[in-house]
Amino acid sequence: MATTRTPRVDPLTVEVVELIGTAVARYHEEYERAAGTHSLTGAQARVLALLTLEPLPMRKIAVCLKCEPSNVTGIIDRLEARGLVERRPDPQDRRVKLAAVTDEGRRTARELRDGLTFAREPLAELSHEERVVLRDLLTRMLG
């Protein structure tokens, strides 16, 4: 018989969960604001950032963003109209189209990333060792 773990609900755990929630909310607010300065939605900015890593098929983008492929098609259409991404045939399967960032899209993604100060400024207050511990704890927490 499998046993289920009861989550901790002590005051410290509640406080940590609330702090993580606040940090995530502030990050998303800043990300949306930064995307807006480039006339992008948050979803468009996330797709652009994702495509700076490698060209991807629409279905894989949808999986990464946890959304429907039809939503990704609309996002790619709008990014393509602005010259930030382009569609290319997949060299492994020419029936599949890959979305790939253009030079302009890469520049925009870099400016967007460089404009995000919320995450960097508080981390700058931590020593290198503290950032390593934080990274390791978050990695462990996320499995």
Side-chain angles (χ1 to χ4, degrees), residues 14-66:
V14 170
E15 183 180 9
V16 169
V17 168
E18 288 176 359
L19 288 168
I20 290 170
T22 300
V24 168
R26 284 181 55 190
Y27 176 80
H28 281 290
E29 288 169 10
E30 181 172 328
Y31 199 84
E32 292 289 331
R33 243 188 333 274
T37 65
H38 295 278
S39 301
L40 297 170
T41 65
Q44 290 170 339
R46 283 188 290 282
V47 168
L48 198 57
L50 187 61
L51 293 176
T52 63
L53 303 175
E54 65 179 323
L56 294 170
M58 308 290 187
R59 290 198 181 281
K60 179 121 186 207
I61 296 169
V63 169
C64 291
L65 295 182
K66 297 178 175 77

Side-chain angles (χ1 to χ4, degrees), residues 16-118:
V16 169
V17 168
E18 288 176 359
L19 288 168
I20 290 170
T22 300
V24 168
R26 284 181 55 190
Y27 176 80
H28 281 290
E29 288 169 10
E30 181 172 328
Y31 199 84
E32 292 289 331
R33 243 188 333 274
T37 65
H38 295 278
S39 301
L40 297 170
T41 65
Q44 290 170 339
R46 283 188 290 282
V47 168
L48 198 57
L50 187 61
L51 293 176
T52 63
L53 303 175
E54 65 179 323
L56 294 170
M58 308 290 187
R59 290 198 181 281
K60 179 121 186 207
I61 296 169
V63 169
C64 291
L65 295 182
K66 297 178 175 77
C67 71
E68 292 297 317
S70 60
N71 291 343
V72 171
T73 300
I75 292 169
I76 295 298
D77 287 346
R78 288 184 286 283
L79 291 172
E80 188 175 38
R82 292 191 47 196
L84 301 175
V85 301
E86 62 186 11
R87 287 177 169 94
R88 301 179 185 162
D90 185 337
Q92 273 76 38
D93 184 349
R94 297 193 58 82
R95 296 169 297 173
V96 175
K97 291 287 187 193
L98 299 177
V101 70
T102 63
D103 289 341
E104 179 66 15
R106 190 172 307 284
R107 185 188 62 74
T108 300
R110 185 176 41 255
E111 287 175 4
L112 178 67
R113 185 183 57 245
D114 291 348
L116 295 173
T117 56
F118 167 69

